[in-house]
Structures are given as C-alpha cells and as structure tokens.
Amino acid sequence: MPSYEKLREILGPATTALLTVECQQGVVGTESALPELAAAARSSGALANVARLVAAAHQCGVQVLHAVAERRPDGRGASHNARLFRAAERLPVQQLSGTAAVRIAPPIEVADEDFVVRRLHGLSPVAGTDVDPLLRNFGCRTLLVTGVSANVAIPNAVFDAVNLGYTAVVPADAIAGVPADYTPAMVRNTLALVATITATQDVLAAWKLPGRPVRPA
C-alpha cells in the first residue's frame, strides 16, 4: 500500500478520473445475467464501495466515467471469437442497448457531469472505446479502476491504462470477481505488479473525506 502522502499526490482531483466497469443492472443488479458475480459484488461490499467512491468523486471534482458493455438487439458488431461471448449470447438476461440491463445499478448515482461510455465489442472498457481520448481531453494522468469483473474486464482496463501511459489505481475492496477467493489472488499476483493497490477508505482520505458519510451527488 502506498503512503498517505504518495496517494494524495497520485489522486489529485484535477488529474484523476474514476472509472466504474460494468456496474450495470444486467451484471451486478438484482436481475443479473450473472447472479454469482452480482452476489459477489454485493456481499463483498464492492458495489457499495464503488458507490461511495463515485459520490466522493462528485463532491471533490474528480471526473467519473461509467463503462458499460452492451449489444444491439440484432447482434451486429458483437464479438464472437471467444467462449465468453458465445456463452453470453445464451444467457436469459441480455445486455441490450436501451434496456434496463445497461443502466447503472443502484446504489451508484450517475451525475449530469458523468460520462457513460458504451462498447459493443471486445473485452476492454478502455481499448477501442472513447475512454482514452476523453481522459486526455480532461488532462487526466491517473485512472482509478473499480467494478467487475476481476476475472476479465478489470485487468483489461488496468493493462490498457498502463499501456497508454496512465497511472492505474485499484481499490481492492471496490472490485469483485468469481469465485470470491480469486479476486485477492488476482490483486496480489497480477494487478499489484502494474497498478497502485489501495482501499476505498484510503482514497476517501486522500480526497480529504475520511471517516464521514459520503452524500450522493
């Protein structure tokens, strides 16, 4: 874990953006296509911590982006070149554009100044989407990565951020994957090699919001 002073330096509000990954109703909501993942995100406290971080970001002027995975009803443009994509096509809940499944899930609040970045293909919330050019236009140097899943999309986002020259920060208690014990193993053995690993409360402290309730924007 970095020192408090180092974390404050890395997470300066003017040069930091917060990315929520696939925190949509069809993934982590009560009507999830992936109930095991949704249960892990909720029971671990990860989803609640994402909501706390988003609310804090709204308070202190950190730009928030929500990365959403979706597909057209006709499936055009969707990826088919991996087992994961083919399995997703058979799920009872589909992440179809314009439906409730692709709306950001409670308790996360979406503010008017947030950006919702949607992708129709691939595995990454960053590569091949609008995230990178938006971050550059914001003057962002640090990307705070939260959400699901620690199995696929979170490591993709971290690797892409690092490859693009950003400092990636991961609050380990604000991401989730399946099975439950996989997430800490991924953090310890992979993400810690390329990202700054921290905790939600330490981020709030770095933003000078320690130990007090965070009000939604």
Side-chain angles (χ1 to χ4, degrees), residues 49-121:
N49 284 331
V50 175
R52 293 173 69 203
L53 290 165
V54 168
H58 292 157
Q59 285 189 349
C60 63
V62 170
Q63 181 63 55
V64 178
L65 300 92
H66 305 279
V68 173
E70 60 182 54
R71 58 185 285 125
R72 287 167 46 121
D74 61 9
R76 290 177 65 85
S79 300
H80 304 282
N81 58 332
R83 177 184 172 190
L84 178 65
F85 302 132
R86 295 190 293 272
E89 293 173 1
R90 299 191 296 271
L91 292 174
V93 177
Q94 293 290 305
Q95 314 299 317
L96 298 181
S97 302
T99 67
V102 298
R103 296 177 190 155
I104 302 302
I108 298 168
E109 297 280 348
V110 181
D112 290 342
E113 62 268 25
D114 294 359
F115 283 77
V116 178
V117 180
R118 306 181 184 280
R119 80 176 193 273
L120 292 170
H121 58 84

Side-chain angles (χ1 to χ4, degrees), residues 141-215:
R141 294 199 299 269
T142 298
L143 186 62
L144 189 64
V145 180
T146 66
V148 297
S149 72
N151 305 74
V152 178
I154 294 296
N156 261 267
V158 170
F159 295 152
D160 287 340
V162 172
N163 285 334
L164 289 166
Y166 300 101
T167 296
V169 177
V170 178
D173 57 354
I175 65 171
V178 290
D181 59 359
Y182 181 79
T183 299
M186 165 61 76
V187 170
R188 182 174 60 253
N189 297 308
T190 302
L191 298 184
L193 302 178
V194 293
T196 297
I197 306 302
T198 186
T200 296
Q201 194 58 37
D202 292 334
V203 174
L204 300 184
W207 288 342
K208 299 183 178 179
L209 294 165
R212 69 185 190 196
V214 177
R215 299 186 302 275

